[in-house]
Amino acid sequence: MFDQSAQRLCQSDEVAAAEGWRRFELGATVTGTVSLIPRPGAIGILVDVDGVQGFVDVLSLPRQVESWPAVGTTTTFEVLTRRPGQIRLWPLDPAFRDGSFDNGVSAEEWLARKARYPVGTLLTAVVSDAYVSDGSYTVRYVGGWSRLEEDGELPEVGSTAGYEVVRHLDTTRRTLLRPAGT
């Protein structure tokens, strides 16, 4: 009896860990601790964020490995993307990143985009890319783009739909959208 109870508890812990990535919203600021640097200078770093594995790509980190945050360093990150078992992160501490992550958007363009599309604005966008591997898709609209996630069926590339501006992320100059009416 005890063995079956322990087995069910372990299985539920595995499911909770596998689904833990869902609790982190895109664009959220999270605190994490560097847990592993698998191949210094080649891949990036792994970060523990409340029991969920986060990843910072080598291209986001300083070019000099000596400037990377060491294992055990706790700092803040922005959630860039999420997928089962992992969240991709952007270091918010400028000392732990290689330059800015402005998505190719100048400061003037960013201010203009925020003014044109304040939070709550409804806009029309076209699906430009869909990624079955992680359930995400990209939409493009006049003056910008956004990456969204879908739990069900992905929209068809080329389809047009309405979206609502949810949030502007100044550090990475991203605009978060959600399908209108959700």
Side-chain angles (χ1 to χ4, degrees):
M1 180 71 153
F2 176 75
D3 289 337
Q4 290 175 343
S5 296
Q7 185 178 5
R8 280 193 299 272
L9 183 59
C10 286
Q11 288 172 341
S12 67
D13 285 348
E14 288 172 10
V15 169
E19 293 297 314
W21 62 275
R22 291 182 184 274
R23 72 178 186 260
F24 299 100
E25 292 182 33
L26 292 178
T29 297
V30 298
T31 300
T33 303
V34 176
S35 58
L36 183 65
I37 304 173
R39 289 179 41 207
I43 298 172
I45 61 175
L46 298 177
V47 179
D48 177 51
V49 184
D50 277 343
V52 175
Q53 180 178 297
F55 177 72
V56 179
D57 191 280
V58 65
L59 297 174
S60 301
L61 295 164
R63 292 179 186 201
Q64 303 301 320
V65 175
E66 302 80 35
S67 299
W68 290 16
V71 170
T73 301
T74 299
T75 189
T76 56
F77 302 88
E78 182 177 302
V79 176
L80 294 176
T81 62
R82 314 172 308 164
R83 64 179 181 212
Q86 185 183 93
I87 54 177
R88 291 187 76 108
L89 304 167
W90 171 254
L92 291 177
D93 184 336
F96 296 141
R97 62 181 190 233
D98 183 32
S100 69
F101 183 79
D102 58 14
N103 280 309
V105 179
S106 71
E108 297 78 23
E109 290 172 307
W110 179 240
L111 291 174
R113 184 182 303 168
K114 285 175 46 176
R116 181 174 184 173
Y117 301 110
V119 171
T121 299
L122 296 177
L123 55 86
T124 301
V126 176
V127 177
S128 61
D129 301 283
Y131 307 98
V132 176
S133 61
D134 68 1
S136 69
Y137 62 102
T138 303
V139 297
R140 299 195 182 278
Y141 55 93
V142 175
W145 63 273
S146 186
R147 185 102 175 246
L148 293 93
E149 295 176 340
E150 179 60 56
D151 284 334
E153 190 174 323
L154 290 170
E156 189 175 324
V157 172
S159 63
T160 301
Y163 296 89
E164 179 182 358
V165 176
V166 177
R167 190 167 163 206
H168 295 289
L169 303 170
D170 290 321
T171 303
T172 53
R173 295 187 184 158
R174 297 186 303 152
T175 300
L176 296 183
L177 304 177
R178 71 173 162 227
T182 61

